C-alpha cells in the first residue's frame, strides 16, 4: 500500500483529488458539530469531490495521496447564511442610509462591487467559509451564483433576488434595484412568478414596520408572497426584527427569519411557533453594532477582519477622513455623542443575546450569519466576530459550530444543503482543517491550516493575493 505524505502547507498550491485519485487526511481529530461527536486519530478519504469514508488511522490508507493531519482538527466547511454580494461593506454601500454620493457616487461603488466578486469569494474561502447564502439583492445576484458555480476558488452560493418590501429605497435603484416596493398581494404574486424564472434558492421579504407601516398593513402581501413562493417550491426568508412582525411572518409560513428579534424578549408562544413550524433563525448579531460603531468612529474590527478583510473596504471606514461639511447628519450626531451610540448597541444586545440563548436552549434551529456587506460588516471574517457574540450570548463552542455548519446547510437547502454541513460518507468534501481545537475555545475556529472546497485543498495562507 503506497502512501505519499504531502504537507499541504509546504507545497503552497492546491491539491485536487481528481477523478479516481484518492486523497486521505490522516491522523487528525474529526469534529462533527451536527451530533457533537469527535473521532480522534481519524482517516478521512476523499474521492474526487466526495467524502468516501471515515475510519481510524490505524487502518491502512487505501492508496492515493495523503495529508498528515496529526494534531489538527477537521471540520465541515463553515456557512455564512446571511450575506449580500451587492454591498461591499464600505462606507458608500448604502446611500439610502448615509448618502455620500458627493464623496463617491453610488454608481462608482456598484462598479467596484461588480469588479470585486472574485476577491470576495477568496475572502470567504480564506475564512473556511465554503458556503454562503445571499439573502437579497438585485437580479445581478443570479449571475453571481452562476459565476460561483463556475469558479473553483469560491464558496457555494445560494441566492434570493430583489427584496419584496413594504418601503422603497430609490437611492439604491440604478436600473436593477435590490429592494422593490410591493403594494398589493397581486403585485407580490406577479413578482414571485418573475423571480421563479430565475430559480431562486429563497424569496426574501423586507417586512419593515414603523408608524406609517404597521404590522397588519403589509401582512396580506407577506401572505401572498409566501403562498405563491411555496406553490413554486421556493422557501421564503423574512427580515422581521420586532417580535410581533416576526410572529406574523412565521404564522404566515416564513421558512427563515434572517435576523434576531431585537425589540423585546421572545415569549413562550413564539418559541413554540418556531419549533412547530421548523423555522430557522439567523441571528446576525455583528451587523447590529457595525453601522453605529463605524459612524461613531468606534469600530472594533477583529484581528481576523483586519488581516483577511478587503483593505480598500476597511480603508473607507474611518469617517474622520470625510470633510465635516460633507458628513450626513446621521454620522455627525454619532460622532458628537459616541457614548449614546454604544449605549444603543448595548441595549440591542441585551435583548438579542438573551433571545438567542433562549431559542437555542429550546431547540430552535439557529444558523450562523452576519449580514456581511452592510457598512462595517466585513465579507468573510465578520463570521468570527459573530462567533464571539454568540459566545457572549452563552452558546457553547460546539453549539456555535453546529450553527455554522449543519444548521447552515439546512438553511442553504436544496441538493447542496443535503450534501454539506457534516463530515460523513457521501457528503461533498468541503472541509476546514484547524491547528487548534475549536471545541475548547471558539476563538480557535479561525486558526485555519487549510480549506478544502469540492475536494480541492487550499493551504490557508495561499488563498489571498
Ligand atoms: Zn441582510
Amino acid at each position: 500500500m503506497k502512501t505519499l505524505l504531502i504537507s499541504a502547507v509546504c507545497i503552497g498550491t492546491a491539491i485536487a483529488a481528481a477523478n479516481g485519485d484518492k486523497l486521505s487526511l490522516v491522523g487528525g481529530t474529526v469534529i462533527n458539530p451536527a451530533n457533537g461527536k469527535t473521532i480522534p486519530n481519524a482517516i478521512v478519504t476523499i474521492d474526487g469531490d466526495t467524502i468516501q469514508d471515515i475510519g481510524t488511522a490505524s487502518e491502512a490508507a487505501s492508496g492515493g495521496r495523503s495529508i498528515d493531519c496529526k494534531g489538527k482538527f477537521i471540520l465541515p466547511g463553515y456557512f455564512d447564511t446571511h450575506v449580500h454580494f451587492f454591498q461591499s461593506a464600505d462606507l458608500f454601500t448604502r446611500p439610502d442610509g448615509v448618502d455620500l454620493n458627493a464623496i463617491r457616487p453610488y454608481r462608482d461603488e456598484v462598479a467596484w462591487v461588480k469588479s470585486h466578486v472574485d476577491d470576495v469569494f477568496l475572502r470567504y474561502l480564506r475564512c473556511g467559509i465554503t458556503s454562503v447564502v445571499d439573502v437579497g439583492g438585485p437580479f445581478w445576484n443570479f449571475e453571481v451564483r452562476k459565476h460561483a458555480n463556475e469558479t473553483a476558488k469560491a464558496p457555494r452560493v445560494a441566492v434570493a433576488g430583489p427584496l419584496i418590501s413594504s418601503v422603497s429605497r430609490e437611492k439604491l435603484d440604478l436600473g436593477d434595484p435590490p429592494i422593490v416596493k410591493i403594494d398589493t398581494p397581486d403585485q407580490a404574486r406577479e413578482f414571485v412568478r418573475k423571480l421563479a424564472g430565475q430559480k431562486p434558492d429563497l424569496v426574501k421579504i423586507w417586512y419593515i414596520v414603523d408608524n406609517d407601516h404597521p404590522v397588519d398593513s403589509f401582512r396580506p402581501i407577506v401572505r401572498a408572497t409566501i403562498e405563491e413562493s411555496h406553490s413554486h417550491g421556493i422557501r421564503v426568508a423574512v427580515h422581521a426584527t420586532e417580535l410581533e412582525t416576526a410572529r406574523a411572518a412565521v404564522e404566515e409560513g416564513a421558512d427563515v427569519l434572517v435576523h434576531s428579534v431585537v425589540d423585546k424578549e421572545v415569549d413562550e408562544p413564539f418559541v413554540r411557533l418556531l419549533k412547530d413550524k421548523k423555522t430557522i433563525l439567523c441571528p446576525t448579531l455583528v451587523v447590529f453594532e457595525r453601522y453605529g460603531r463605524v459612524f461613531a468612529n468606534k469600530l472594533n474590527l477583529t484581528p481576523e477582519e483586519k488581516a483577511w478583510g478587503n483593505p480598500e473596504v476597511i480603508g473607507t471606514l474611518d469617517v474622520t477622513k470625510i470633510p465635516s461639511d460633507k458628513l450626513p447628519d446621521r454620522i455627525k450626531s454619532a460622532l458628537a455623542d459616541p457614548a449614546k451610540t454604544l449605549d444603543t448597541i448595548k441595549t440591542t444586545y441585551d435583548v438579542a443575546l438573551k433571545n438567542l440563548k433562549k431559542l437555542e436552549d429550546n431547540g430552535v434551529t439557529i444558523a450562523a450569519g452576519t449580514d456581511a456587506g452592510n457598512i462595517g460588516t466585513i465579507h468573510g471574517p465578520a463570521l468570527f466576530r459573530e462567533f464571539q457574540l454568540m459566545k457572549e450570548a452563552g452558546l457553547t463552542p460546539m453549539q456555535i459550530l453546529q450553527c455554522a455548519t449543519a444548521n447552515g446547510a439546512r438553511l442553504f437547502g436544496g441538493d447542496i444543503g443535503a450534501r454539506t454541513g457534516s463530515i460523513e460518507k457521501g457528503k461533498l468534501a468541503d472541509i476546514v482543517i484547524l491547528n487548534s481545537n475549536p471545541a475548547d475555545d471558539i476563538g480557535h475556529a479561525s486558526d485555519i491550516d487549510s480549506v478544502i472546497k469540492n475536494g480541492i485543498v487550499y493551504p490557508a495562507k495561499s488563498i489571498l493575493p
Side-chain angles (χ1 to χ4, degrees), residues 82-84 87 135 204 239 258-259 371 374:
H82 189 147
V83 312
H84 297 282
Q87 302 180 148
V135 292
K204 168 79 171 285
H239 168 121
V258 301
H259 293 294
D371 215 350
N374 278 286

Side-chain angles (χ1 to χ4, degrees), residues 148-182:
N149 286 339
E150 295 163 350
T151 306
K153 272 175 123 173
R156 300 181 195 278
V157 171
V159 293
L163 284 67
I164 289 175
S165 169
S166 52
V167 295
S168 61
R169 286 288 184 266
E170 288 90 355
K171 284 182 183 173
L172 297 175
D173 186 357
L174 302 181
D176 179 13
I179 296 170
V180 174
K181 185 169 182 286
I182 297 288

Side-chain angles (χ1 to χ4, degrees), residues 281-293:
L281 183 138
C282 176
T284 67
L285 299 170
V286 54
V287 76
F288 293 115
E289 70 178 353
R290 287 296 169 79
Y291 276 91
R293 282 187 172 273

Side-chain angles (χ1 to χ4, degrees), residues 198-234:
Q198 300 287 336
K199 300 200 179 335
D201 300 279
L202 292 158
V203 163
K204 168 79 171 285
I205 298 173
W206 215 37
Y207 201 166
I208 301 296
V209 165
D210 54 34
N211 288 339
D212 300 329
H213 307 86
V215 174
D216 284 340
S217 68
F218 195 63
R219 189 164 174 157
I221 292 167
V222 171
R223 181 177 305 156
T225 302
I226 294 175
E227 274 179 9
E228 188 68 29
S229 299
H230 285 177
S231 79
H232 291 272
I234 306 166

Side-chain angles (χ1 to χ4, degrees), residues 346-359:
K346 187 184 174 302
T347 305
T348 302
Y349 280 159
D350 283 346
V351 179
L353 272 59
K354 198 188 263 186
N355 281 344
L356 172 57
K357 174 75 172 143
K358 190 166 178 180
L359 295 169

Side-chain angles (χ1 to χ4, degrees), residues 47-378:
D47 191 357
D49 62 1
T50 304
I51 298 172
Q52 191 190 43
D53 202 12
I54 300 134
T56 53
S58 55
E59 300 158 16
S62 55
R65 293 171 297 171
S66 66
I67 296 175
D68 182 6
C69 291
K70 275 188 203 72
K72 307 215 185 289
F73 299 85
I74 299 170
L75 286 99
Y78 305 139
F79 287 69
D80 187 334
T81 66
H82 189 147
V83 312
H84 297 282
F85 283 108
F86 83 98
Q87 302 180 148
S88 66
D90 76 13
L91 193 59
F92 313 105
T93 211
R94 286 302 292 266
D96 55 327
V98 279
D99 189 343
L100 289 157
N101 270 291
I103 306 286
R104 175 178 165 120
Y106 183 56
R107 195 167 290 280
D108 294 353
E109 164 70 10
V110 170
W112 191 93
V113 165
K114 289 191 171 180
S115 63
H116 283 75
V117 172
D118 287 317
D119 178 80
V120 173
F121 287 169
L122 293 182
R123 293 181 192 281
Y124 279 107
L125 222 51
R126 175 63 185 87
C127 297
I129 299 165
T130 51
S131 303
V132 301
V133 182
D134 183 313
V135 292
F139 273 92
W140 172 71
N141 261 6
F142 298 110
E143 290 172 43
V144 175
R145 178 179 63 182
K146 182 167 179 278
H147 183 52
N149 286 339
E150 295 163 350
T151 306
K153 272 175 123 173
R156 300 181 195 278
V157 171
V159 293
L163 284 67
I164 289 175
S165 169
S166 52
V167 295
S168 61
R169 286 288 184 266
E170 288 90 355
K171 284 182 183 173
L172 297 175
D173 186 357
L174 302 181
D176 179 13
I179 296 170
V180 174
K181 185 169 182 286
I182 297 288
D183 296 313
T184 67
D186 281 348
Q187 267 182 21
R189 290 179 190 280
E190 196 186 321
F191 194 69
V192 169
R193 285 194 288 271
K194 185 178 168 193
L195 282 170
Q198 300 287 336
K199 300 200 179 335
D201 300 279
L202 292 158
V203 163
K204 168 79 171 285
I205 298 173
W206 215 37
Y207 201 166
I208 301 296
V209 165
D210 54 34
N211 288 339
D212 300 329
H213 307 86
V215 174
D216 284 340
S217 68
F218 195 63
R219 189 164 174 157
I221 292 167
V222 171
R223 181 177 305 156
T225 302
I226 294 175
E227 274 179 9
E228 188 68 29
S229 299
H230 285 177
S231 79
H232 291 272
I234 306 166
R235 297 169 303 152
V236 179
V238 183
H239 168 121
T241 54
E242 308 84 14
L243 180 57
E244 294 318 318
T245 317
R247 195 191 317 272
V250 179
E251 282 174 356
E252 295 300 345
D255 302 278
V256 178
L257 291 173
V258 301
H259 293 294
S260 300
V261 166
V262 297
D263 69 327
K264 55 179 84 145
E265 201 175 325
V266 295
D267 53 30
E268 298 305 330
F270 181 76
V271 173
R272 224 176 309 123
L273 182 68
L274 263 58
K275 280 188 73 173
D276 290 350
K277 298 244 186 188
K278 298 189 166 49
T279 315
I280 305 174
L281 183 138
C282 176
T284 67
L285 299 170
V286 54
V287 76
F288 293 115
E289 70 178 353
R290 287 296 169 79
Y291 276 91
R293 282 187 172 273
V294 169
F295 298 163
N297 196 29
K298 292 283 176 194
L299 188 54
N300 58 345
L301 294 180
T302 59
E304 291 92 336
E305 289 172 298
K306 287 176 186 164
W308 307 329
N310 181 291
E312 271 184 81
V313 167
I314 291 172
T316 69
L317 297 175
D318 180 353
V319 291
T320 64
K321 286 185 193 159
I322 306 283
S324 58
D325 61 320
K326 294 214 161 66
L327 278 177
D329 287 345
R330 190 168 164 192
I331 298 181
K332 257 188 218 158
S333 49
L335 270 176
D337 193 355
K340 188 175 167 222
T341 299
L342 295 179
D343 211 49
T344 305
I345 294 168
K346 187 184 174 302
T347 305
T348 302
Y349 280 159
D350 283 346
V351 179
L353 272 59
K354 198 188 263 186
N355 281 344
L356 172 57
K357 174 75 172 143
K358 190 166 178 180
L359 295 169
E360 172 72 31
D361 283 351
N362 283 283
V364 172
T365 302
I366 306 292
T370 59
D371 215 350
N374 278 286
I375 296 175
T377 303
I378 308 298

